[in-house]
Amino acid sequence: PPPLLHPQMAGRSLPLATAVIALAACAAAFVAPKADNAIFFENFQSKSNPLKQWVKTQHSMYSNDFEVTAEYSLDEEDKTLVLARAARHYGMFAPAKTGSLEGKDFVVQYEFKLAKGQECGGGYLKLVLEPFDTPKSFANSVPYSIMFGPDKCGDSKKVHFIFQHRNPISKQLVEHHLKDPPQFPTDELTHLYTLYVQANGNFALYIDQEEETSGSLLADFVPPVNPDKVIDDPNDEKPDDWVDDAKIYDPEAKKPADWDEDAPKEIVDEDAVIPEGWLVDEPAEIPDPDAAIPEEWDAEEDGEWEAPLVPNPKCDEVGCGEWAAPVKPNPAYKGKWKPPMIDNPAYKGPWAPAKIDNPNFFETDHVEILPIAGVGLELWTMSEGVSFDNILMTHDIGSARALGLQVWKPKFDAEKEANELKLKEEAAKRQAEDEDLNYEDDEEDIFGDMGAAPEEDDGEKEEL
C-alpha cells in the first residue's frame, strides 16, 4: 500500500480516502528539507528530539501542549509543530543570534496551517531582541525586534508586521505597526508567510510567494519612526472654569400651558368598522384535520389524545375571532417638553493642551532592524490543530524562495487538489441524496394519487 497517507487522515479529515491515497502514491519519497545560508532553520524532523533547538518557558501562564506530529500532513513522514489544545497559552523560545543587521538584508519565513479552522488566536513569530539569555523566562513581556505573522479574532484577520525601534534620545523602545496589514487565508491548507526587509530600509511581505504589500520602514508605519517635533504639553491641564459646551438649554424658556405630556402617542381609531366578511364566531386555530393518533399512543398512560392546533384556513381571507379597532397616531401627542437649545454665552471653544518642543525629537533617513536573539512562539489560541513548519531566518531572499518552491509548493498543491476532490465528492453525494429524495417524493405522489382514486367496479380496479 502507498506509505505516504497518514493513517489517521483516512477516517477523520478526508472522506475522499481513495483520492488522497492516489495523490500520496504519486508523490516522491519524503526527504527532510534543508536550508542553505540559514541563520536559523527548523523543520521538526529530528527523530530523537524534534524540539532540541527549543526551550519551553516555565512561566505559569503557559500550558505548552506542543506536539510534533504528522497528524495533519498528507505525508506521514512530514512532521509539524502543533498547538494541540484549544483555549491555551503557548510559550517556547529557540536561541538564534543574528548579530548586527546593519547593512544586511533580513528574511523570516515559515509555513502555517489551520487544520481545524481558526476562531480566535495568533499564528505569528516573535523575533526576540538581543540580549536575551534566559529562555525559560520567555513570556509576552520580553522585548522583541520583529513580530510577524497572522492573527485572527472575530472579523479581524490580519498579518502583523511590527518592529521596535529604540529612540536615540529617550533610549526607549517604540512599537511601529504596519499601516495597512494584509488579510490572510483562513482555509485548512498550508500557507507560506515571508517577510523580506532590505538593507536600505524597504520591505516586502509575501503570502504563498505572492507579494501582498511593500513599502518603507520610515513611511508606512504608525507611529512613524521620526516623532513629531512639537507635542502636547503633558503637564498642561484644562482649567476648572473652562466651558466647552457650545449649546445649552434656554434657561428662560417655559413649558406652554397647553402642553400635555401625558397624552398617549397612539389612540384607538373610533371611525374604524369591522371588515365585511370578518368571522366573529370562528376560532383562530382549529385541531389539525390531517393529524393522526400516533401508533405508540397509550390512552391509559398518556391520556386522551388531542390533535395539535393549526391556523384556521377560514381566517386567511379576512379574519376571524373577536375584532378590535386598530390604533392610529394621536394628533394631540407632543411628548415630554424640553426647553430649546441656544448658543452658550460662556462657551470658550474646545480645549487643547499647549504645544511644546518634543524633548525626544530626532530625525533619521534610515532605519535598521535591531539585532535578534532568537525565535519565540508566544501565542493564545481558541482552536486546536494550529501548526507551524520550516521556520527560516536568513539574509538571502533567493534561498528562502527556493526553499518554498522545494518544500511548501508541492505540499500546498497536493493539499489543494485533495481538498478540491473532497469538495467534488461531497457535492456529488449531496446531489445523489437530493435525487433519491425527489424520487421518493414522486413515488409517494404517484401511489398516493392511485390510492385516493374513486373506486369503480372490479374490472376498473384490475385495469388500474
Side-chain angles (χ1 to χ4, degrees):
L4 298 179
L5 178 67
H6 192 281
Q8 293 188 35
M9 297 297 284
R12 250 177 21 91
S13 303
L14 297 176
L16 192 62
T18 55
V20 178
I21 289 175
L23 284 171
C26 293
F30 179 79
V31 177
K34 297 180 181 179
D36 296 330
N37 307 317
I39 303 168
F40 173 84
F41 181 61
E42 176 61 89
N43 59 21
F44 304 104
Q45 297 304 315
S46 170
K47 296 186 182 298
S48 59
N49 183 9
L51 293 179
K52 64 182 178 181
Q53 296 195 82
W54 299 84
V55 179
K56 293 181 181 180
T57 178
Q58 294 183 352
H59 196 288
S60 59
M61 73 180 287
Y62 299 98
S63 65
N64 288 338
D65 296 316
F66 291 104
E67 290 183 5
V68 177
T69 175
E71 179 178 357
Y72 303 111
S73 301
L74 290 182
D75 192 318
E76 64 179 2
E77 297 296 323
D78 185 12
K79 297 177 181 178
T80 64
L81 178 71
V82 176
L83 311 187
R85 299 178 66 191
R88 295 288 188 276
H89 282 99
Y90 293 82
M92 191 163 63
F93 175 78
K97 295 183 179 181
T98 63
S100 172
L101 293 172
E102 183 177 2
K104 298 176 183 177
D105 292 349
F106 176 75
V107 182
V108 57
Q109 176 176 280
Y110 66 104
E111 296 172 13
F112 179 68
K113 181 175 184 176
L114 299 170
K116 296 186 177 181
Q118 177 69 289
E119 180 181 338
C120 181
Y124 44 78
L125 305 181
K126 285 187 175 180
L127 307 184
V128 174
L129 184 67
E130 282 193 18
F132 181 65
D133 299 315
T134 55
K136 291 182 179 180
S137 68
F138 176 63
N140 60 347
S141 58
V142 173
Y144 59 85
S145 175
I146 288 176
M147 177 172 154
F148 170 63
D151 189 20
K152 179 181 184 295
C153 206
D155 295 331
S156 173
K157 52 174 186 178
K158 59 186 175 182
V159 180
H160 286 296
F161 174 22
I162 308 169
F163 72 91
Q164 298 212 62
H165 183 267
R166 193 177 299 279
N167 184 302
I169 307 300
S170 68
K171 309 302 182 186
Q172 297 297 309
L173 287 171
V174 179
E175 282 187 1
H176 303 279
H177 296 242
L178 183 60
K179 283 181 183 177
D180 298 305
Q183 294 193 332
F184 66 94
T186 54
D187 54 39
E188 298 178 4
L189 305 179
T190 299
H191 293 281
L192 185 69
Y193 294 85
T194 308
L195 174 64
Y196 174 34
V197 182
Q198 297 174 261
N200 62 8
N202 292 330
F203 73 93
L205 192 158
Y206 304 85
I207 301 177
D208 297 344
Q209 298 194 326
E210 296 290 334
E211 183 179 301
E212 295 292 328
T213 187
S214 61
S216 162
L217 298 181
L218 273 176
D220 297 298
F221 288 76
V222 289
V225 172
N226 290 322
D228 294 330
K229 191 171 186 178
V230 176
I231 61 172
D232 293 339
D233 184 353
N235 298 317
D236 193 11
E237 297 181 356
K238 184 170 77 170
D240 293 337
D241 61 351
W242 188 277
V243 178
D244 49 15
D245 295 322
K247 297 281 186 178
I248 59 171
Y249 287 112
D250 184 356
E252 304 296 329
K254 294 183 179 179
K255 183 174 73 172
D258 61 348
W259 191 286
D260 184 1
E261 293 186 342
D262 298 325
K265 191 173 184 178
E266 294 179 323
I267 57 174
V268 175
D269 185 356
E270 301 291 349
D271 298 326
V273 295
I274 186 169
E276 185 177 352
W278 187 277
L279 305 175
V280 176
D281 296 328
E282 282 287 341
E285 293 182 323
I286 60 171
D288 185 353
D290 297 325
I293 185 169
E295 293 181 3
E296 66 275 10
W297 189 274
D298 187 331
E300 293 185 1
E301 292 186 5
D302 302 324
E304 183 181 356
W305 181 80
E306 294 181 358
L309 297 178
V310 295
N312 188 343
K314 294 181 180 180
C315 303
D316 291 344
E317 187 172 345
V318 180
C320 57
E322 183 180 356
W323 180 82
V327 296
K328 66 178 184 178
N330 184 0
Y333 173 75
K334 293 185 176 181
K336 188 171 181 62
W337 180 83
K338 292 181 181 179
M341 302 292 288
I342 62 171
D343 292 337
N344 187 351
Y347 177 62
K348 294 184 177 182
W351 181 85
K355 297 290 186 180
I356 61 170
D357 291 338
N358 185 354
N360 297 316
F361 174 75
F362 71 95
E363 197 166 16
T364 182
D365 59 2
H366 177 70
V367 182
E368 64 186 52
I369 297 299
L370 296 178
I372 293 165
V375 179
L377 289 167
E378 193 278 311
L379 303 163
W380 159 263
T381 182
M382 287 298 296
S383 303
E384 60 184 48
V386 176
S387 69
F388 297 79
D389 201 7
N390 296 315
I391 302 172
L392 171 70
M393 290 197 304
T394 181
H395 296 300
D396 184 1
I397 185 63
S399 64
R401 186 166 186 83
L403 178 68
L405 291 172
Q406 173 201 346
V407 180
W408 165 79
K409 189 66 165 62
K411 180 189 303 185
F412 175 79
D413 289 345
E415 290 179 351
K416 185 177 179 182
E417 186 173 352
N419 189 59
E420 289 172 352
L421 291 171
K422 172 187 171 184
L423 294 176
K424 287 180 181 178
E425 184 185 67
E426 290 174 348
K429 182 179 179 182
R430 286 194 299 270
Q431 183 177 355
E433 289 173 349
D434 291 342
E435 290 174 354
D436 289 345
L437 185 61
N438 291 336
Y439 176 78
E440 290 173 3
D441 290 342
D442 292 343
E443 188 179 56
E444 183 178 337
D445 291 342
I446 292 170
F447 288 103
D449 291 343
M450 291 171 65
E455 291 191 10
E456 301 294 340
D457 58 29
D458 292 341
E460 288 185 359
K461 287 183 181 179
E462 273 185 25
E463 185 178 343
L464 180 63

